[in-house]
Amino acid sequence: MSALPRRIIKETQRLMAEPVPGISAVPDESNARYFHVIVTGPEDSPFEGGLFKLELFLPEDYPMSAPKVRFITKIYHPNIDKLGRICLDILKDKWSPALQIRTVLLSIQALLSAPNPDDPLANDVAELWKINESEAIRNAKEWTRKYAMEN
Amino acid sequence: MAELLNIILNIVRNALRMLSLGRPAIDNSLNINIKCSTGNTLSVGLDPEWDIGEVKNIIAPKLGANPKEVKIIFAGKELEDSIVIKDCDLGEQSTLHAVKLSKSFVKPSSGQLSSVIAEAISDEDEIAVLQETIDRAGSQFYVHCPVCNDLRLGKLRVRCSKCKSGAITVDTDPKSWSDVLKSNKISGHCEQDDCPDGAFAWAEFYFKCTEHISQGENDEAVPLYLLRNNFKNIPCLACTEIKHVVFVFPCKEAHVTCLDCFRTFAVLRLRERQFVLDDAIGYTIACPAGCPDSFIDECHHFKLLTNEQYELYQRFATEECVLHAGGVLCPQPGCGEGIIVDSSCDKVACSNGCGYVFCRKCLQGYHLGECNSLDNASLSDDIHHITDPARAAQARWDEATNVAIRVTTKPCPRCRTATERSGGCMHMICTRCSFHWCWVCQIEWSRDCMGTHWFG
């Protein structure tokens, strides 16, 4: 394994020293490219009060290619599928080496505040979100209580 | 008349002898070409310790002038008598220009000129950068030198835009890259005898390599003006290291990467065929931060890549040009010849390349009727011809390649580029024509595909 690039070290240090409010990202003890992430559900969203676990991996050619991010905690969200995969342009074709772990996690937090049923990943969730928003929000709150509020 | 000339020549010879006698032999002389405004070029060895006054003493007789009437010009500046040669940034085989002063010459009023230049300069930051480059590093520029075929330090030089003579003095120094790169920005006075522009000439800047002996006035280098010395200590946007030399993208924010990250970024974009063919600029990329209007407009910057990568760049660029013009690329393995086709005819022959005859639509061997790649290919197996064994072996290999491509790829529904899916979702974006399509349905990507089988 090649040495850890300075960029990753600096980003990690900054994430530790000045964490993003509502987000914690800690590198794995055995692999500095693998981060254990916890995002708190944003206020005034159906995910409020929940703690959502994610995994984030920095591929070999990071920052030239995007980090790989996935929700581990189950979540009822039109842009996140059953396996926790996220529909976010900056993780795909809009990725730029000028973006960082920090900006990616902030975008994911923003996605929780503003679900976008017009660009869905989980089609059934998106459908319900459009037809009956209050029921969809009720489901999201229910899932948050059930899966994201252990203890 | 002839007698008079002889007398003058004798005087000159004597003067030269006296000069050379009066000096110890020159050990480390510089061979310099001195170009006279009369059109003659003299090759002389100069001691770097001499001053310009002494050079004038040597050169004046050749011009038939008094040393006081001679002006020595180098890189757009008149050199004063007291300047010592070694301080002039002259290299082996550099060219100095010697001019006999003409009494009729009147300097144009400076008020007029400064107003012209004030209009020409707009980007204050640019001015600062260029000025800083000159102040701190003594005119350090990065160039691609075609002779060394590598990145080199360059020297800024100037000539008259009309007669191309170096016997020009500039009215002001260039203050920004646009002054240097664009024409008719800096005015000057061309002292070449027969120059039609004369006192109202425009300076034309060019660069020379500092690392090899000049091979004459046409030996130029291409300025890589997006490479700058990192005086402001700006970290690379990708690796965050602060490097001495950086690549400054031509976006408003002037985003910076180090040269290694520029190379990685460019090669990644190239291999994914993410370069863009711009009508005005050519095949290029923009700032990695996605800034608008940030195409690299001097394609020699891609010479920073290895020779092999640069060849790939040239090949892709040519292919994109052919496709852009409505042409096709010969599908025969190892050929790839670009062919401009008649859009009314489906039969294409690679007449300048391998001779393969193929269908314009499906890029398989030419056939009659509808395209159906699998069936048409197998038809020919039944017919036996006498073949050259070497070619037959080659053909078997090609057939195996075709089978592998058929098995592992699917064609883009729009441009039929064979596409391999190496993981990820079913949403394909064609690297050649940017069409969004579904790997499962092999039609345009839709909400329906996203909902039912995005990840298979």
Side-chain angles (χ1 to χ4, degrees):
Chain A
M1 178 112 194
S2 54
L4 202 62
R6 209 176 101 101
R7 152 128 184 194
I8 297 181
I9 296 170
K10 280 180 79 175
E11 276 200 64
T12 309
Q13 284 170 345
R14 191 162 163 231
L15 280 168
M16 299 297 168
E18 314 159 38
V20 190
I23 295 172
S24 101
V26 182
D28 189 86
E29 277 174 19
S30 62
N31 184 353
R33 287 177 177 268
Y34 184 93
F35 287 75
H36 300 277
V37 179
I38 295 171
V39 175
T40 54
E43 278 176 35
D44 302 322
S45 81
F47 312 101
E48 187 174 348
L51 292 178
F52 296 88
K53 276 190 202 160
L54 293 90
E55 56 180 5
L56 182 148
F57 180 72
L58 304 176
E60 183 61 34
D61 50 359
Y62 177 82
M64 290 304 164
S65 36
K68 306 209 176 304
V69 200
R70 189 177 78 89
F71 272 83
I72 295 173
T73 307
K74 270 172 81 83
I75 181 166
Y76 193 85
H77 191 287
N79 309 109
I80 300 159
D81 80 352
K82 286 193 198 83
L83 296 175
R85 293 176 294 206
I86 307 161
C87 176
L88 194 60
D89 57 358
I90 59 160
L91 293 177
K92 301 278 176 193
D93 53 321
K94 291 287 188 300
W95 171 255
S96 139
L99 297 171
Q100 301 179 10
I101 302 174
R102 172 180 296 268
T103 41
V104 165
L105 295 177
L106 275 168
S107 300
I108 292 172
Q109 202 181 35
L111 195 66
L112 295 187
S113 293
N116 178 11
D118 287 325
D119 187 13
L121 185 47
N123 226 28
D124 49 340
V125 179
E127 211 56 37
L128 188 63
W129 216 283
K130 289 215 289 199
I131 299 166
N132 189 346
E133 197 181 343
S134 57
E135 195 190 332
I137 289 174
R138 210 170 329 130
N139 284 349
K141 282 183 179 165
E142 176 63 19
W143 282 41
T144 303
R145 196 185 55 74
K146 213 162 143 189
Y147 303 110
M149 291 188 191
E150 298 154 51
N151 309 324
Chain B
M1 193 65 192
E3 223 179 310
L4 192 71
L5 208 73
N6 267 331
I7 293 168
I8 293 171
L9 276 175
N10 270 330
I11 294 169
V12 171
R13 279 198 202 105
N14 284 333
L16 279 176
R17 202 174 301 142
M18 275 165 70
L19 270 170
S20 55
L21 280 176
R23 298 195 163 274
I26 305 163
D27 294 332
N28 53 344
S29 79
L30 265 176
N31 284 308
I32 300 290
N33 295 314
I34 299 183
K35 216 167 174 180
C36 305
S37 53
T38 50
N40 298 338
T41 302
L42 307 165
S43 182
V44 290
L46 300 180
D47 185 327
E49 299 296 333
W50 288 2
D51 64 27
I52 293 299
E54 285 167 286
V55 176
K56 284 184 180 174
N57 287 336
I58 296 175
I59 210 72
K62 312 269 179 189
L63 288 166
N66 185 302
K68 289 211 170 71
E69 292 175 324
V70 175
K71 206 167 167 181
I72 301 282
I73 297 169
F74 179 62
K77 295 275 181 199
E78 183 187 348
L79 301 180
E80 301 292 333
D81 285 2
S82 58
I83 292 174
V84 178
I85 288 169
K86 68 177 177 190
D87 297 333
C88 291
D89 187 27
L90 280 173
E92 191 73 6
Q93 300 297 343
S94 285
T95 304
L96 287 177
H97 294 268
V99 185
K100 189 181 167 185
L101 275 183
S102 115
K103 292 195 176 72
S104 62
F105 164 50
V106 185
K107 249 200 163 195
S109 88
S110 56
Q112 255 177 319
L113 281 162
S114 58
S115 67
V116 172
I117 288 153
E119 275 172 275
I121 298 167
S122 51
D123 189 344
E124 282 180 22
D125 200 42
E126 276 279 283
I127 297 169
V129 167
L130 191 76
Q131 205 51 53
E132 212 159 10
T133 310
I134 293 167
D135 291 350
R136 297 220 205 175
S139 309
Q140 207 175 69
F141 302 98
Y142 294 94
V143 294
H144 171 76
C145 170
V147 175
C148 309
N149 191 28
D150 212 343
L151 174 65
R152 291 284 184 256
L153 285 176
K155 311 183 266 198
L156 180 65
R157 294 292 178 258
V158 62
R159 63 189 163 215
C160 168
S161 69
K162 191 74 163 196
C163 71
K164 310 292 175 194
S165 161
I168 182 172
T169 49
V170 292
D171 295 324
T172 49
D173 285 336
K175 291 189 179 59
S176 69
W177 271 106
S178 100
D179 284 351
V180 174
L181 298 170
K182 293 192 179 140
S183 48
N184 299 0
K185 286 278 191 177
I186 299 286
S187 58
H189 180 255
C190 179
E191 319 244 5
Q192 189 66 24
D193 278 354
D194 49 359
C195 179
D197 282 3
F200 302 98
W202 289 110
E204 182 178 284
F205 294 93
Y206 64 101
F207 289 83
K208 291 184 89 74
C209 172
T210 54
E211 287 174 51
H212 70 265
I213 294 171
S214 175
Q215 301 183 351
E217 284 183 83
N218 293 327
D219 176 16
E220 288 182 32
V222 189
L224 302 182
Y225 54 89
L226 297 175
L227 266 61
R228 314 254 168 95
N229 283 338
N230 193 6
F231 297 129
K232 295 179 181 171
N233 290 331
I234 296 171
C236 165
L237 73 77
C239 70
T240 71
E241 308 260 351
I242 297 172
K243 293 285 172 70
H244 175 57
V245 187
V246 290
F247 195 97
V248 183
F249 279 87
C251 54
K252 222 171 157 190
E253 291 81 359
H255 284 123
V256 162
T257 65
C258 67
L259 296 193
D260 283 341
C261 285
F262 168 76
R263 290 187 182 102
T264 316
F265 172 69
V267 169
L268 197 85
R269 286 282 158 100
L270 182 66
R271 294 209 190 281
E272 290 179 354
R273 256 192 131 105
Q274 298 283 307
F275 273 54
V276 178
L277 186 67
D278 182 273
D279 284 341
I281 298 167
Y283 198 50
T284 188
I285 41 171
C287 168
C291 302
D293 301 323
S294 59
F295 282 135
I296 295 170
D297 62 358
E298 171 54 83
C299 291
H300 280 90
H301 283 104
F302 301 121
K303 282 276 190 185
L304 290 170
L305 308 182
T306 64
N307 285 342
E308 200 183 27
Q309 290 160 346
Y310 189 76
E311 275 170 27
L312 190 68
Y313 163 79
Q314 285 181 307
R315 206 184 85 207
F316 284 180
T318 315
E319 288 180 4
E320 288 306 319
C321 267
V322 170
L323 295 171
H324 202 65
V328 291
L329 303 172
C330 174
Q332 191 75 337
C335 181
E337 179 86 13
I339 308 161
I340 300 298
V341 291
D342 173 1
S343 59
S344 63
C345 182
D346 288 341
K347 187 177 179 178
V348 183
C350 180
S351 43
N352 292 325
C354 65
Y356 186 53
V357 180
F358 60 97
C359 166
R360 184 176 65 87
K361 284 187 186 141
C362 68
L363 302 182
Q364 298 296 321
Y366 180 69
H367 57 87
L368 293 168
E370 290 297 302
C371 301
N372 189 339
S373 52
L374 284 171
D375 298 347
N376 284 316
S378 54
L379 269 181
S380 57
D381 290 348
D382 299 335
I383 310 159
H384 294 280
H385 296 289
I386 301 159
T387 51
D388 173 359
R391 293 197 70 165
Q394 172 72 27
R396 269 204 299 281
W397 175 251
D398 290 348
E399 186 50 31
T401 309
N402 284 334
V403 168
I405 290 172
R406 236 181 264 143
V407 171
T408 56
T409 70
K410 290 182 181 178
C412 161
R414 190 203 271 168
C415 72
R416 305 202 68 82
T417 296
T419 309
E420 186 182 11
R421 181 176 160 268
S422 66
C425 66
M426 299 298 163
H427 182 179
M428 311 298 290
I429 303 171
C430 180
T431 49
R432 180 164 286 169
C433 72
S434 306
F435 186 64
H436 289 243
W437 57 284
C438 171
W439 181 259
V440 178
C441 313
Q442 292 189 256
I443 52 167
E444 188 168 5
W445 183 250
S446 68
R447 281 278 305 277
D448 210 37
C449 301
M450 196 183 264
T452 54
H453 51 260
W454 193 353
F455 287 92

